[in-house]
Amino acid sequence: MKLYAHPFSSYCQKVLIALYENDTPFELRMLAPGDEQAAAEHESLWPLKRMPVLVDGGRTVAEASIIIEHLGLHHPGPVRLIPEESGTALQVRMMDRFFDNYIMAPMQKIVGDSLRAAEHRDRHGVAEARTLLDTAYRWLDDAMAGREWAAAGAFSLADCAAAPALFYADWAHPIGTGYSNVHAYRRRLLARPSFARAVDEARPYRPLFPLGAPDRD
Ligand SMILES: N[C@@H](CCC(=O)N[C@@H](CS)C(=O)NCC(=O)O)C(=O)O
């Protein structure tokens, strides 16, 4: 399998965690800025030009959650990231949607806006993203009371989504000190070997973080 990705990308880390959890072999096709050949291959596979994209034999699979579902179906390992029982799987998928839509998306809005020229900044959109993050942190703090992992009582797809989402969201819009369950969960995610590896591999790229990476994590 070939994964078109960049180690510093949050959605790529989401899939890298799943691959590392099960020691699944793959080749990284690095989408480095300026590598036109890799970019052209990526665009021909997925004209939407979002990463990651997985190529598995003749199949091209896009969207991080779907790639993780694909891995569970076609390359299962000892760590099952989508539970077998369909009701429990639904809880996992709901939390996965929560992290993508309400943590990752507003975090990307804030980071993406900071890359724009001053005259193209979207102050209103960024303010909305910050409000959404505050609401999401508050909801998550209640949801995580008494929970180790996001859903199903075990590490899952939802935690693969949560790890990079909370990692970068806390950099872009710090999680309030009152949200101790969210902080504790973020620390647990950082201690998980699969995510710790993804974070370490991405360390050299921290100077690319447009808001300035804090000196921690
Ligand atoms: N819905 C996609 C989102 C992927 C995404 O936003 N990837 C970012 C990197 S974290 C990207 O490709 N950005 C490049 C761009 O926006 O042109 C998924 O779940 O995989």
Side-chain angles (χ1 to χ4, degrees):
M1 283 189 289
K2 216 187 250 193
L3 185 73
Y4 288 76
H6 189 283
F8 200 51
S9 140
S10 52
Y11 277 105
C12 297
Q13 289 180 2
K14 176 173 168 178
V15 167
L16 289 170
I17 294 167
L19 289 161
Y20 296 160
E21 280 292 325
N22 279 314
D23 251 332
T24 309
F26 71 99
E27 180 196 326
L28 176 67
R29 185 69 173 110
M30 175 92 157
L31 290 169
D35 185 338
E36 286 169 20
Q37 172 61 34
E41 283 171 34
H42 182 215
E43 186 175 3
S44 73
L45 290 164
W46 189 232
L48 291 139
K49 295 198 271 186
R50 294 293 186 277
M51 54 184 160
V53 169
L54 183 79
V55 177
D56 184 6
R59 265 187 289 229
T60 297
V61 190
E63 295 295 303
S65 300
I66 306 305
I67 295 173
I68 294 174
E69 298 255 11
H70 173 94
L71 294 172
L73 274 178
H74 299 286
H75 303 273
V79 182
R80 210 189 158 100
L81 295 167
I82 321 267
E84 196 164 12
E85 199 278 311
S86 51
T88 319
L90 211 55
Q91 290 167 23
V92 165
R93 292 190 178 102
M94 189 194 103
M95 289 303 282
D96 175 63
R97 295 299 76 230
F98 166 79
F99 288 113
D100 274 15
N101 292 325
Y102 307 120
I103 304 277
M104 204 85 107
M107 175 277 288
Q108 282 187 327
K109 173 73 189 173
I110 297 168
V111 174
D113 194 76
S114 74
L115 291 164
R116 292 181 179 179
E119 66 273 24
H120 297 305
R121 296 257 163 95
D122 173 11
R123 282 181 52 208
H124 182 70
V126 167
E128 278 183 339
R130 291 187 185 281
T131 302
L132 186 55
L133 276 174
D134 284 331
T135 309
Y137 292 158
R138 188 167 63 242
W139 182 83
L140 183 63
D141 199 64
D142 287 342
M144 288 307 297
R147 283 193 207 177
E148 183 182 15
W149 302 116
F155 192 88
S156 73
L157 161 71
D159 303 294
C160 297
L166 290 172
F167 179 78
Y168 288 117
D170 189 46
W171 286 9
H173 183 74
I175 300 163
T177 50
Y179 300 135
S180 56
N181 295 327
V182 182
H183 281 287
Y185 176 46
R186 188 176 180 276
R187 277 196 299 275
R188 276 195 296 283
L189 290 164
L190 276 162
R192 182 92 179 176
S194 56
F195 185 49
R197 179 176 165 188
V199 168
D200 280 343
E201 289 170 349
R203 238 171 250 286
Y205 305 103
R206 287 189 182 197
L208 296 177
F209 193 70
L211 300 165
D215 189 18
R216 58 182 165 87
D217 296 327

